[in-house]
Amino acid sequence: MTFTIDPAATAWLLAATAMVLLMTPGLAIFYGGMVRSSGVLNMLMMSFISIPLVTVVWLLAGYSFAFGEDAGGGLIGNFEFFGLSGIDPSTVRENTAIPELLYVTFQLTFAILTIALVSGAIADRAKFSAWMVFVPVWALLVYAPIAHWVWTPDGWLTKFGALDYAGGLVVEIASGASALALALVLGPRIGFKTDAMRPHNLPFVLLGAGLLWFGWFGFNAGSALAANGTAAAVFLNTLVAGCLGMLGWLVVEQVRDGRPTTFGAASGAVAGLVAITPSCGYVNTMGALIVGLVAGVVCSFAVGWKFKGGYDDSLDVVGVHFMGGVVGTLLIGLLANQAMTGEGGAEGLLYGGGLGQLGKQAVGVVAVAAFAFGVSYALGKVIDLVIGFRVGKEEEISGIDFALHAETAYAEGVSGHGHGPRKLGEGPFGH
């Protein structure tokens, strides 16, 4: 069968790819506002450095491992596209109407964002050099195999029947489980559970959340790989879930803490967007409303679990991205609607929910989480043993921006370092 390039689909995916790439700088600003001012530059850099590092390994081998022909067992691709071999501007992605080079780039932006998400769990205490080693190796050993499992016809989770439209398993659960692993490898920040570690710039947090929300339309609706009704439905679902996630989180804050917060608004919107990512192409608009609302409520409580569990997930990657990904992935089994089309916008691939599908989704969650956690923990331990993953005590206390980058974000000096007492988990400063 011969495939030809569709100009409309190509134009839409070009725009969507740029939108998804913007999510990583947006995440940098989101995370940068959440940390103390003595570590904001380092936080920004951890996201930005992911762009070139992942790009290099993706073009060399990552894309081939993820989307090349299956090398056996549905576990990983072969070396078919090593160095983008065999791909030129006229190559059309199989079963689509878009250039293969554009598909390579679109999927690259997903890989970049996923590893950048992990950085939030180790804010204020990780060596930048160690992070630069972790990023490309993780992209090859963790992200690429999981993408192959879920998003290729021969992937074992695809054949098993687990569904993930735009990244609940591949992006959110993989990053959340990996974040937990690294948080355990590095250990808690000095002052965890005793010192106030307040966001130094809440306007940054809201700006970052807004950029993420904008990019998320490309993330989800772009995954239709076509300019059609499916993309339109996914676009609306993404908006609805973000709105309900915000409302759900704010209602919890009002009831629990007596006041809704700007930090809660940003976090709730992100939680709803995370949860709709796997399900956006399988639920109708009312289903998206439920997904967003449940995620906003669940994640608003999940961010406080670290204080009981004793793991220092600095910026709540586990509480928001892992738990939001779990909520959205599992709800496919309950809310999948026969009127929605399947992944890639292919008409006629219809899915419905049920206990059988719920079981398949649960297997996907457990498999991806276990693999991402195990490999990330092992990789983190190896890096820690060889070059050390955590900065020294004096560097952490004085602030890692100047210690690691010889710069500070604010000319007037460090502010908002925050060592006052607080009630654990209270209000918007409970991270």
Side-chain angles (χ1 to χ4, degrees), residues 199-215:
H200 89 283
N201 193 324
L202 286 171
F204 259 34
V205 174
L206 287 170
L207 174 60
L211 290 171
L212 285 169
W213 201 336
F214 173 76

Side-chain angles (χ1 to χ4, degrees), residues 46 49 58 60 85 132 158 187 227 247 249 254 259 338 355 358 372 374 396:
M46 290 177 81
I49 198 63
W58 188 253
L60 287 175
S85 175
M132 289 185 68
T158 301
L247 292 175
W249 193 299
Q254 181 65 52
R259 58 194 186 277
Q338 289 287 344
L355 292 179
L358 179 61
E396 185 176 342

Side-chain angles (χ1 to χ4, degrees), residues 257-389:
D257 308 322
R259 58 194 186 277
T261 66
T262 55
F263 192 88
S267 299
V270 171
L273 293 166
V274 167
I276 199 60
T277 295
S279 54
C280 58
Y282 304 119
V283 301
N284 60 20
T285 306
M286 292 298 101
L289 184 151
I290 296 171
V291 169
L293 182 62
V294 172
V297 172
V298 170
C299 292
S300 68
F301 289 103
V303 295
W305 295 348
K306 63 186 180 184
F307 296 112
K308 297 179 180 179
Y311 60 91
D312 185 8
D313 169 23
S314 307
L315 306 185
D316 299 319
V317 186
V318 178
V320 174
H321 291 275
F322 180 80
M323 286 307 303
V326 170
V327 167
T329 300
L330 293 182
L331 284 179
I332 292 173
L334 301 178
L335 301 174
N337 190 281
Q338 289 287 344
M340 296 296 292
T341 60
E343 184 174 349
E347 301 296 332
L349 297 179
L350 306 179
Y351 300 98
L355 292 179
Q357 189 61 51
L358 179 61
K360 293 175 181 178
Q361 298 304 110
V363 169
V365 168
V366 172
V368 169
F371 177 77
F373 179 89
V375 177
S376 299
Y377 188 86
L379 177 58
K381 276 292 188 182
V382 169
I383 294 174
D384 191 40
L385 289 172
V386 175
I387 63 174
F389 215 133

